Amino acid sequence: MAFENLSEKLNHIFRGLRGKGKLSEADVRSALREVKMALLEADVNFRVVKQFIGSVQERAVGSEVMNGLNPGQQVIKIVDEELTKLMGSEMTEISFQPGKAITVIMMCGLQGAGKTTTAAKIAAKVTKKGKKPLLAALDVYRPAAIRQLQVNGEKVGVSVFSMGDDHRPADIARAALEHAQKNHFDVVILDTAGRLQIDDEMMQELVDIKEAVDVHQTLLVVDAMTGQEAVNVAESFDQRVGIDGVILTKLDGDTRGGAALSIKAVTGKPILFVGMGEKLEDLEPFYPDRMAGRILGMGDVLTLIDKAQANLTAEDEEKSRDMASRVRKGKFDFNDYLESMKQMRRMGGLGSILGMMPGMGISREELEGQIDEKKIAHLEAMVLSMTPEERANPKLLNPQRKYRIARGSGNDIASVNRFIKQFEQMQKMMKQMGGLGGRKKHGSPFGGFGGFGGAGRKGGFPF
Amino acid sequence: MPEEGTEKSRKKGFFSRLFSGLTKSRNSIGSGIERAFTSYDRIDEDFYEDLEETMIMGDIGIKATDQIMEKLRAQVKEQKIKDPGLCKGLLIHNIKEQMAVDAHAYDFEHGPSVVLVIGVNGVGKTTSVGKLAGIYRDEGKKVIIAAADTFRAAANEQLSAWAQRAGVDMIGAPEGSDPASVLFDAVQAAKARHADILLVDTAGRLHNKKNLMAELGKIDRVISREWPECMRENLIVLDGTTGQNALAQAREFNGAAHLTGIILTKMDGTAKGGIAIAIQSELGIPVKFIGVGEKMDDLQRFQPDDYVDALFGVGETQT
Ligand SMILES: Nc1nc2c(ncn2[C@@H]2O[C@H](COP(=O)(O)OP(=O)(O)OP(=O)(O)O)[C@@H](O)[C@H]2O)c(=O)[nH]1
Ligand SMILES: [Mg+2]
């Protein structure tokens, strides 16, 4: 069974379960197994995952399932909160030295992480803040690294200090600082060569630079696609050189970026920026909560949960529970249909209400592109043209009544017939489904609910 | 490059280099190697879990790990294996077999051939092209380099430094030129000068950028069109520290320009590059070369045995 994302998997696990009072240990354990897989797939370090799951387990077992959420969502909510807590709850910025004092920033990291490009991006950024930065070329090893920094410096209109490639980086740093003092620069950004964290001499070189000049911010640049190795890298750089913050690059790719979590977990240092492209303005502040959603692979689901909680009244909650039980008994009528449409609108999403109904996990992907708002409006108009009795008892709908409904709602009779027929099929299917206790293959549990997201499938609703 | 003193230590073989990495990281929380498998006296769930952990920590990924473990469990049952040591040996054997390189994998080296080197940003494309140029040049082959990264700042200068080191010709164009036109020129030059191997360095591109991948497809087609009779080799460069995303990279690049092999770089660190195993199982693309440093001779033909042994920490006590 291939589930697109974690929320689908969790909904699958909890399908058939009602929104019961407390999360049991068994529920939590099976849900967290999926969370664990999701985190590993996102490249979060194995040890970090283990620790994390342990702490979530403790908190989740026995916790009250909140109004408006199903057990799966409740688990996601706890996981998300814990993740966000771990990621750091707020944005952090580069801190500058007070007054006219020069702030020295040193970039460091593995080969190919994106230090040189990021150095230029930061220079551009601080220029906008009214600072006068100087870029210093300390990568004396990689061919044309100095030239690359010069070209980038030129592009963003920032001066580049270099002494060629036959001086020690610590000496270049010292000279760069002198140059900055004389020429009234107030930020110096040191671009160093990429190095492996196990290369002792190269690591010592960074220590030497820090001894030669006062470095105020040592920033570790990490490729967002890094795998399990991220903890070794971050830990070593932090222990050996000392880092103050992290920059995550190449986040414009499609990686889930679990490395961010690993690094945060082992160093506790904040992530300051994320690189979002090759252009020199593509550097953005880091939002811990968004990253948490990305790592879980379900950013938008989380917003949905928030919304559901904010907008769902206790009365709605009661109604939706009631509706769910009617659905299971196949007693779902046009009044329920109207009610669900109303709730849906209030919460701004079709997925949320379906997600809340036990056993009705629904995939956003499947919904997207298949819900035609106009069509829904047409269908709603038909229901509104029914009398309350007709809504409660669809069996009353004889040809004359259907004709009236068609006229009243501005639809042709064929559409009305199709709608009612599909509604009946759906009722039948729901009855069967309820009887089976949700023992259904993926792809049809929501198909049952009027084929939301199942256009083209047998028995689906025409939206 | 680092000072002379490190030169000697860097000259050590690939195998010992992998392990020097491991020893140094022994105390870090990320190293899963220190756990002694020998402490198991029977095959139980803990033992299996331990193997799984090693594989996940090596970036093989859950899916490929599951497949490998499923096969192993079946074999253990079928062959009635009781000894954990034998079981682990079987696992290692299985993966080595899977990662074996085909006998014809290096046929392109006889030329005339075009080797297109592609991948995401910063993985080591330019360096690998430089190293390959040095290797083939040392074998007495006529090599030409095409500088088709016309995008990144100073990409040209970087590659031309490598071309000089290797002592080979380079065909380039100013920043901002059309890379496909560089290829056109380079292919003509390769034909005219009777080159054995034309090595093509390309700009780094993330695999989810549609237009950049389309550009790559165009480059690939220009080569086929302009030199249909030459042998073709499309190598994706993967950074050994990359996690699960490398699979998506291989998939997408393979879609844009049919891949014939992988260059796995930065294997001189402590990363295991296990994702190559997942890629081999899903896409059948073999690793052909391995990068173990920043110097000219730090590129080697892929040895499945060394690679898999390093992944499982075999022989670690020897160092
Ligand atoms: N330690 C180590 N470093 C490597 C290896 N291969 C490449 N590098 C380093 O990785 C960095 C990036 O390499 P490049 O060759 O510039 O990578 P690229 O893929 O051409 O990069 P872009 O063209 O910018 O996308 C350089 O500092 C290289 O020296 C390797 O096998 N081991
Ligand atoms: Mg390059």
Side-chain angles (χ1 to χ4, degrees), chain B residues 36-289:
Chain B
F37 286 100
T38 42
S39 69
Y40 289 95
D41 49 15
R42 59 196 194 90
I43 299 174
D44 54 13
E45 279 312 302
D46 281 350
F47 171 74
Y48 278 131
E49 229 167 75
D50 218 341
L51 289 181
E52 264 171 27
E53 179 173 339
T54 306
M55 289 193 274
I56 302 246
M57 294 283 286
D59 286 319
I60 295 184
I62 295 170
K63 202 173 146 214
T65 297
D66 277 353
Q67 283 169 358
I68 293 168
M69 289 307 290
E70 214 169 285
K71 179 174 168 188
L72 182 70
R73 280 171 195 262
Q75 283 173 324
V76 164
K77 213 169 151 192
E78 204 179 86
Q79 303 171 22
K80 303 193 169 53
I81 295 172
K82 296 271 173 296
D83 175 39
L86 279 181
C87 176
K88 191 186 165 198
L90 184 60
L91 170 67
I92 292 172
H93 171 80
N94 287 345
I95 303 179
K96 283 179 181 171
E97 210 171 60
Q98 186 201 332
M99 297 305 285
V101 190
D102 186 88
H104 295 292
Y106 302 98
D107 283 357
F108 72 92
E109 294 180 342
H110 303 306
S113 59
V114 178
V115 180
L116 182 62
V117 178
I118 56 187
V120 300
N121 312 80
V123 286
K125 293 175 295 299
T126 305
T127 309
S128 298
V129 165
K131 291 171 179 173
L132 282 173
I135 292 174
Y136 295 139
R137 163 69 213 244
D138 278 354
E139 291 174 3
K141 292 183 172 120
K142 170 86 185 158
V143 179
I144 295 181
I145 290 180
D149 181 356
T150 52
F151 180 80
R152 209 206 67 194
N156 220 314
E157 286 93 328
Q158 185 188 354
L159 188 61
S160 91
W162 277 103
Q164 253 165 37
R165 265 184 214 170
V168 305
D169 294 344
M170 180 181 109
I171 309 288
E175 199 178 310
S177 317
D178 177 11
S181 77
V182 176
L183 263 146
F184 184 85
D185 293 348
V187 167
Q188 306 316 320
K191 282 199 229 173
R193 298 178 207 174
H194 302 288
D196 296 305
I197 300 179
L198 173 62
L199 295 168
V200 185
D201 183 30
T202 59
R205 67 198 76 224
L206 288 176
H207 52 286
N208 60 340
K209 311 259 155 123
K210 290 258 154 25
N211 55 338
L212 295 180
M213 294 309 280
E215 180 191 86
L216 188 62
K218 192 173 150 199
I219 291 174
D220 185 58
R221 285 193 299 279
V222 167
I223 302 171
S224 309
R225 191 185 66 213
E226 294 305 316
W227 202 355
E229 63 278 13
C230 77
M231 281 187 264
R232 292 295 312 275
E233 191 70 18
N234 288 348
L235 299 176
I236 186 174
V237 181
L238 299 176
D239 184 326
T241 36
T242 304
Q244 302 310 298
N245 195 249
L247 187 54
Q249 292 172 20
R251 231 181 259 136
E252 294 300 318
F253 274 94
N254 194 34
H258 176 73
L259 296 175
T260 55
I262 295 168
I263 302 178
L264 197 58
T265 61
K266 308 185 195 177
M267 292 297 285
D268 44 331
T270 51
K272 308 294 185 305
I275 192 65
I277 294 171
I279 295 172
Q280 168 68 258
S281 9
E282 187 185 311
L283 301 167
I285 304 166
V287 181
K288 290 195 178 173
F289 297 97

Side-chain angles (χ1 to χ4, degrees), chain A residues 95-322:
Chain A
S95 56
F96 295 101
Q97 294 301 105
K100 288 245 176 292
I102 298 178
T103 305
V104 181
I105 299 171
M106 179 169 84
M107 318 292 291
C108 61
L110 296 182
Q111 291 94 339
K115 290 170 295 299
T116 307
T117 310
T118 308
K121 287 179 178 179
I122 291 182
K125 214 166 196 99
V126 303
T127 306
K128 285 213 185 83
K129 287 198 167 151
K131 301 277 180 194
K132 192 183 169 200
L134 174 70
L135 285 160
L138 271 58
D139 181 352
V140 295
Y141 308 112
R142 209 200 71 195
I146 298 173
R147 183 81 199 113
Q148 186 187 353
L149 191 66
Q150 283 167 339
V151 172
N152 282 339
E154 214 167 280
K155 281 186 189 158
V156 294
V158 171
S159 309
V160 176
F161 180 87
S162 94
M163 292 166 67
D165 58 11
D166 53 4
H167 285 83
R168 286 176 56 236
D171 295 336
I172 304 173
R174 211 178 282 119
L177 213 71
E178 269 166 37
H179 179 83
Q181 261 146 5
K182 262 191 229 125
N183 298 281
H184 310 292
F185 289 95
D186 50 13
V187 177
V188 175
I189 303 168
L190 309 173
D191 177 34
T192 66
R195 67 205 69 217
L196 289 170
Q197 82 279 7
I198 52 162
D199 190 331
D200 225 51
E201 284 174 55
M202 290 295 283
M203 293 300 274
Q204 182 59 39
E205 183 191 277
L206 294 177
V207 178
D208 291 345
I209 295 170
K210 282 185 112 167
E211 269 162 17
V213 299
D214 259 333
V215 175
H216 304 100
Q217 300 259 298
T218 303
L219 302 181
L220 179 68
V221 181
V222 184
D223 186 325
M225 299 178 275
T226 309
Q228 297 290 313
E229 180 72 352
V231 289
N232 290 336
V233 175
E235 207 176 36
S236 301
F237 271 91
D238 194 28
Q239 280 172 2
R240 187 75 204 273
V241 185
I243 62 169
D244 301 293
V246 176
I247 297 173
L248 214 56
T249 60
K250 309 178 201 172
L251 210 61
D252 50 327
D254 57 5
T255 178
R256 300 254 294 276
L261 189 68
S262 305
I263 293 169
K264 190 68 218 267
V266 296
T267 67
K269 298 292 153 53
I271 297 171
L272 299 174
F273 296 110
V274 294
M276 293 298 290
E278 295 188 75
K279 289 201 291 304
L280 296 174
E281 66 268 18
D282 295 332
L283 189 71
E284 295 178 7
F286 174 74
Y287 299 99
D289 46 341
R290 284 189 209 166
M291 196 67 216
R294 179 169 178 154
I295 290 173
L296 284 174
M298 45 181 300
D300 31 358
V301 177
L302 296 172
T303 355
L304 214 61
I305 292 178
D306 282 351
K307 260 195 193 157
Q309 276 197 287
N311 296 339
L312 207 79
T313 61
E315 190 192 347
D316 284 334
E317 167 74 1
E318 202 37 55
K319 274 186 193 156
S320 111
R321 267 173 214 269
D322 186 44

Side-chain angles (χ1 to χ4, degrees), chain A residues 323-332 427 430-431 434-435:
Chain A
M323 201 191 304
S325 98
R326 292 157 64 75
V327 163
R328 208 168 293 108
K329 291 183 193 127
K331 283 193 182 143
F332 187 82
Q427 270 185 323
M430 282 182 168
K431 206 170 188 168

Side-chain angles (χ1 to χ4, degrees), chain A residues 25-81:
Chain A
E25 192 174 340
D27 292 345
V28 170
R29 190 167 307 130
S30 61
L32 287 185
R33 196 175 305 128
E34 296 299 334
V35 173
K36 184 174 158 188
M37 295 299 167
L39 293 176
L40 288 175
E41 266 162 29
D43 289 322
V44 180
N45 181 271
F46 189 87
R47 304 276 160 91
V48 175
V49 171
K50 257 189 171 169
Q51 249 170 21
F52 177 76
I53 294 293
S55 67
V56 173
Q57 170 121 10
E58 233 167 73
R59 197 191 134 184
V61 172
S63 79
E64 207 60 56
V65 177
M66 300 182 68
N67 267 358
L69 300 185
N70 68 24
Q73 290 173 325
Q74 176 72 25
V75 174
I76 293 179
K77 189 176 142 59
I78 295 174
V79 167
D80 178 52
E81 279 170 10

Side-chain angles (χ1 to χ4, degrees), chain A residues 312-357:
Chain A
L312 207 79
T313 61
E315 190 192 347
D316 284 334
E317 167 74 1
E318 202 37 55
K319 274 186 193 156
S320 111
R321 267 173 214 269
D322 186 44
M323 201 191 304
S325 98
R326 292 157 64 75
V327 163
R328 208 168 293 108
K329 291 183 193 127
K331 283 193 182 143
F332 187 82
D333 64 22
F334 283 113
N335 283 316
D336 297 314
Y337 181 88
L338 265 191
E339 180 57 36
S340 69
M341 288 292 155
K342 229 191 299 169
Q343 286 193 357
M344 223 175 276
R345 215 151 275 146
R346 202 148 56 233
M347 289 179 301
L350 195 54
S352 53
I353 172 124
L354 291 176
M356 279 180 322
M357 296 178 61

Side-chain angles (χ1 to χ4, degrees), chain A residues 412-439:
Chain A
D412 56 34
I413 185 77
S415 312
V416 174
N417 275 328
R418 207 180 314 128
F419 177 52
I420 291 169
K421 188 147 184 210
Q422 277 162 341
F423 192 89
E424 282 165 3
Q425 276 175 357
M426 183 184 85
Q427 270 185 323
K428 218 182 287 162
M429 275 177 63
M430 282 182 168
K431 206 170 188 168
Q432 287 168 358
M433 206 172 93
L436 290 171
R439 215 188 73 223

